[in-house]
Amino acid sequence: MAPAPPATAPAAPGVQLDGLIRRRGERLVLREITLELPAGGTLALLGPNGAGKSTLLRVLAGLLRPSRGRCRVLGHELPRERHAVRGRVGYLAHEPMLYRDLTVRENLVHRARLLRAPIGQVDELLAATGLQRRASFPVAALSRGLTQRTAAAATLLADPELLLLDEPLANLDPVAAEQLGALLDARPFGVARTRVIAGHDPDAALAEADLVLGLKDGAVALLAAPAAITDAEIGALYR
Amino acid sequence: MSAASAGWGADVRTLLTLEWRRERRAPQVLPTMLLFSVGAFVLFRFGLQDGSIDGTLAAGVLLVTTLLAALLGIGRLWSAEEEEGGLDAFRLTPASAAALVAAKALALWSFLVVLHLVAVPAFAFLLLSSSLDAGELLRFAGIMLLLDLGIAAAGTLVGAIAAAARSRELLVPLLAVPLLIPVIAVASQAVSPLLEQHGGSVEGRWWLVLALYDGVFLLVGWAVSDGIVED
Amino acid sequence: MPYARRLLPLTLATAVLVVAWIVVAAAVAPTDATEGLRQRLTYLHPAFAILTLVAFVAGAFFGWRHLQSDRPLDDLRAYVAIHLGQIYCVIALLTGAIWGKTAWGTFWDWGEPVLVTFLIIFLLYATYQPMRFAIEDPERQARTASVFAVTAGVFAPICFGVVRLTTNLLHPQPLNDPGSNLPGTAGLAFALSVLAIGALFVTLWHLELVHKSTRIRLRKLQRRVEGEDAVPHLARASSPVTL
């Protein structure tokens, strides 16, 4: 399902990168990434393991600082104005970022409080992710798929304007994947949200993205609209 | 301004509730500190052969045991944030870093107070040969509260520093012991007259020094909280 | 960016001060009638002790600046200040023990607050490099090290006050009355010792700063010339690796 075009076009692009460089010590993890993603658009991140996809997501989430270059998220310069985007960005990481000894509901309520989201939203999201029956299970007792759904529910608290998804449908059975995919796709209230999705499934990425970024060794290997991308280019990315 | 400070207080409450809820669900810190303390008292009973102590020796045994037990709590204080991604999740929210540090310090303080509620009677039963009257008990409790706050304030910083490291269990005692020597020294000076056979009083300056130590480390924790919580 | 060209004037000034200090302390100042040769340790030991504290407080200052600015250079400044402070601390402890042996007949006295404080502070700062080395992510290492630098830098003066309160006073108080019962030349020698050892500290600090940052910049240039992957990455280090 393609995201609906924004009803009222906001002035600021969702994500704007200009020569973004990220180093980890002496190692270059992201090399001069430049792109612009309009608000409400979907960016698919492709690339082999270790290409820098997760690092890029963490930079966009404001969890890592750019070493050089410009990085604007939701119209705010990172890292200087990172406090302005806190609570407006949902980041679904590889690790679930949940307290294992607490129940599903306790985790979500705790996160909702810190995000200043209405507590009623917890029940809505529990229903939407089909977790109602497991709400009082400790996270440690959940299967990987259910843990992923809980993490997704936590990501969607407070209606983030920008969703950063790191392989969101990994570990899920087809039915759950479809259900969660729909949830992470449409925005229930009005404007479609901006999304950046990292994944290993080129077909799915091409189907739902407005823009595809292929990373290889931290550098841009491919940046185009999905219609303009050939199978050969995708193949070259992973070779 | 009032809305922001109300948010701050609410955040601290939320985070402190989380600490206690996690401790209730999977008791780790409190039972460990408690069993260690009682074990250490029994050990001292045999190590000191006779084992009936009072005055400075009693103060030393109690406070050093407290310090060593606190090391266990300090080591676990930030581990969930590291291992379960709690810190990343926190950083995505608008809550302030100072609220997290304050909640951690309050959590450690409350753990230590609960520890003392059980460990001090055990200490009196197993080792102490003198007895305290009501007034002395009150002053003793006051000193212990201030001592625990100092350990909690400094321990929160140590725990946060060590949590970033791979070998955090090794770093905690290395960092915490020198930082806590002064507060243990002062508390020992303060409580040893109370533990004498004939009783005594606490010199006024020890109250002041303990409060100063607590205040300074709380201030440092507040000032560097951004440095702890940001990457 | 720290540059080497400031090193020459710094070194010359330090050399002049050090020579003046040695001449005055060894030859000009008279040998004390009662204390004898031992009294000349006054021109060595207290200055190192004072500069140790200055170094650690400077480490806290630069650590604080690093937490504010996030510039790796500030972390490097704090690192070098603390690193030199550790060396000065060892010297202060050793000369203090020698002083104690000659004055009180014992190398170590637990009743002596300044000595005990220095031991506590030394024990604390001795964990600085192991702590840095244990943190793999360089940015995280830098920030955590700054948290440590600020905490320990605030702790050091407090520790002094507290230990002094809890122990009886034995140690002469060089800061309160430097050479009060000594002739004028002795006061001069004491002042010169602090100046000379302080200048030595600044020069060494600048030298190591230049040395470390030059090495980092050299590797950077090498990568730019030979390509990003031509230069192998440094393994884990306890000092800053980027600027």
Side-chain angles (χ1 to χ4, degrees):
Chain A
M1 197 166 90
T8 51
V15 173
Q16 211 177 358
L17 306 178
D18 189 6
L20 173 74
I21 288 178
R22 165 72 199 174
R23 287 182 179 277
R24 187 180 191 273
E26 292 197 305
R27 218 164 74 81
L28 256 185
V29 190
L30 295 176
R31 310 174 186 221
E32 305 231 12
I33 296 177
T34 302
L35 65 85
E36 189 171 320
L37 180 67
T42 296
L43 171 70
L45 279 179
L46 294 174
N49 291 327
K53 300 190 298 290
S54 296
T55 305
L56 181 55
L57 287 179
R58 286 180 67 82
V59 170
L60 293 177
L63 296 176
L64 289 177
R65 281 145 212 278
S67 305
R68 203 131 38 86
R70 257 163 55 104
C71 174
R72 285 177 81 84
V73 169
L74 300 173
H76 293 283
E77 192 87 34
L78 294 183
R80 201 161 42 82
E81 300 169 354
R82 62 185 182 280
H83 293 291
V85 302
R86 297 265 153 101
R88 295 169 60 196
V89 177
Y91 172 42
L92 181 57
H94 247 276
E95 312 78 44
M97 305 202 293
L98 300 166
Y99 293 102
R100 295 173 51 78
D101 297 324
L102 298 191
T103 67
V104 171
R105 175 187 290 282
E106 283 166 344
N107 265 296
L108 293 181
V109 169
H110 174 71
R111 195 78 70 82
R113 289 228 164 90
L114 292 181
L115 283 166
R116 287 103 172 98
I119 303 299
Q121 225 185 10
V122 170
D123 287 307
E124 287 171 29
L125 282 167
L126 283 175
T129 44
L131 282 166
Q132 274 158 321
R133 285 193 314 121
R134 321 274 179 152
S136 54
F137 279 42
V139 169
L142 299 182
S143 67
R144 290 189 67 178
L146 287 170
T147 309
Q148 180 74 355
R149 278 200 254 169
T150 311
T155 307
L156 290 170
L157 283 165
D159 292 314
E161 293 156 61
L162 172 65
L163 268 186
L164 306 168
L165 308 173
D166 204 343
E167 300 183 33
L169 305 183
N171 309 319
L172 294 181
D173 61 63
V175 177
E178 195 177 333
Q179 193 188 13
L180 196 59
L183 198 64
L184 293 171
D185 185 288
R187 184 169 190 170
F189 324 97
V191 189
R193 43 167 93 90
T194 315
R195 297 184 305 163
V196 181
I197 308 174
H200 283 299
D201 183 356
D203 295 332
L206 295 182
E208 62 178 341
D210 303 311
L211 189 64
V212 176
L213 172 64
L215 285 174
K216 200 169 183 179
D217 280 336
V220 177
L222 180 66
L223 180 63
I229 292 173
T230 63
D231 284 351
E233 284 175 313
I234 295 284
L237 196 58
Y238 287 93
R239 203 171 303 122
Chain B
M1 190 63 226
S2 67
S5 57
W8 198 86
D11 286 341
V12 173
R13 220 169 25 246
T14 303
L15 292 160
L16 187 60
T17 312
L18 176 88
E19 295 292 327
W20 269 97
R21 184 166 284 154
R22 280 190 30 239
E23 185 60 26
R24 263 209 341 260
R25 282 292 143 71
Q28 271 188 320
V29 176
L30 270 176
T32 314
M33 293 202 300
L34 209 60
L35 286 173
F36 174 83
S37 298
V38 174
F41 294 147
V42 174
L43 189 65
F44 275 117
R45 172 109 217 169
F46 288 105
L48 300 170
Q49 291 188 11
D50 167 31
S52 259
I53 54 177
D54 61 3
T56 40
L57 186 57
V61 166
L62 177 63
L63 294 175
V64 170
T65 305
T66 297
L67 169 75
L68 296 177
L71 293 182
L72 301 170
I74 293 170
R76 295 303 301 173
L77 192 62
W78 292 84
S79 58
E81 312 311 325
E82 283 305 315
E83 289 159 11
E84 296 168 29
L87 202 58
D88 280 347
F90 179 83
R91 289 170 56 208
L92 290 167
T93 72
S96 86
L100 181 60
V101 174
K104 288 284 177 192
L106 284 176
L108 185 56
W109 190 28
S110 55
F111 290 159
L112 288 169
V113 170
V114 172
L115 165 75
H116 276 147
L117 284 179
V118 183
V120 171
F123 170 75
F125 177 72
L126 288 170
L127 288 166
L128 196 62
S129 60
S130 61
S131 59
L132 284 75
D133 62 35
E136 286 173 334
L137 206 58
L138 210 61
R139 273 169 282 162
F140 179 81
I143 292 289
M144 286 316 233
L145 278 178
L146 281 179
L147 166 74
D148 288 346
L149 184 58
I151 296 178
T156 302
L157 287 169
V158 168
I161 291 173
R166 180 190 270 182
S167 50
R168 81 180 66 106
E169 290 77 14
L170 305 180
L171 267 184
V172 166
L174 282 185
L175 291 167
V177 168
L179 271 181
L180 293 175
I181 288 174
V183 76
I184 295 291
V186 172
S188 172
Q189 297 270 355
V191 298
S192 44
L194 297 174
L195 300 175
E196 293 286 355
Q197 290 289 5
H198 309 296
S201 60
V202 181
E203 278 184 64
R205 57 176 170 159
W206 302 135
W207 293 100
L208 200 69
V209 176
L210 276 175
L212 182 79
Y213 184 95
D214 296 359
V216 166
F217 273 97
L218 287 173
L219 201 65
V220 171
W222 173 76
V224 300
S225 55
D226 268 326
I228 292 173
V229 175
E230 297 295 321
D231 17 283
Chain C
M1 280 286 157
Y3 287 105
R5 63 167 176 269
R6 279 188 219 142
L7 265 177
L8 186 64
L10 260 176
T11 311
L12 287 176
T14 306
V16 169
L17 277 170
V18 167
V19 168
W21 161 53
I22 290 173
V23 167
V24 173
V28 178
T31 304
D32 192 85
T34 51
E35 296 194 40
L37 204 58
R38 150 165 58 90
Q39 190 267 330
R40 287 191 198 277
L41 268 175
T42 317
Y43 312 137
L44 184 68
H45 165 69
F48 273 109
I50 292 166
L51 261 298
T52 302
L53 280 186
V54 171
F56 290 155
V57 171
F61 171 75
F62 289 120
W64 175 252
R65 279 230 314 228
H66 174 250
L67 286 179
Q68 304 302 310
S69 72
D70 237 10
R71 275 185 314 180
L73 185 58
D74 284 326
D75 178 43
L76 184 62
R77 287 184 173 128
Y79 174 87
V80 175
I82 289 174
H83 176 64
L84 281 173
Q86 291 168 326
I87 297 170
Y88 271 43
C89 192
V90 171
I91 297 175
L93 276 172
L94 288 179
T95 52
I98 294 169
W99 163 278
K101 181 70 186 167
T102 53
W104 314 316
T106 168
F107 280 114
W108 192 261
D109 183 350
W110 282 110
E112 214 304 291
V114 182
L115 225 51
V116 175
T117 310
F118 261 88
L119 183 67
I120 296 172
I121 293 175
F122 173 73
L123 285 176
L124 179 62
Y125 274 96
T127 58
Y128 182 66
Q129 274 92 352
M131 182 264 300
R132 290 195 72 120
F133 193 73
I135 302 170
E136 282 179 70
D137 183 85
E139 269 180 49
R140 185 119 199 244
Q141 183 193 88
R143 297 187 72 84
T144 310
S146 294
V147 169
F148 176 96
V150 172
T151 308
V154 171
F155 169 78
I158 294 202
C159 190
F160 250 98
V162 168
V163 176
R164 180 159 289 180
L165 268 175
T166 54
T167 43
N168 49 331
L169 293 176
L170 249 182
H171 197 281
Q173 307 288 299
L175 282 176
N176 297 346
D177 47 359
S180 56
N181 53 353
L182 297 171
T185 46
L188 177 70
F190 176 76
L192 269 176
S193 74
V194 176
L195 277 179
I197 290 168
L200 188 66
F201 175 81
V202 173
T203 307
L204 288 174
W205 180 73
H206 200 77
L207 176 68
E208 198 180 341
L209 211 55
V210 168
H211 165 71
K212 282 207 152 54
S213 63
T214 305
R215 213 170 47 177
I216 291 168
R217 273 180 287 167
L218 187 65
R219 291 177 63 84
K220 214 179 196 170
L221 281 174
Q222 202 181 347
R223 269 199 302 269
R224 196 175 296 168
V225 172
E226 298 176 18
E228 190 63 40
D229 304 315
V231 188
H233 302 300
L234 282 176
R236 216 140 52 107
S238 64
S239 60
V241 290
T242 47
L243 274 184

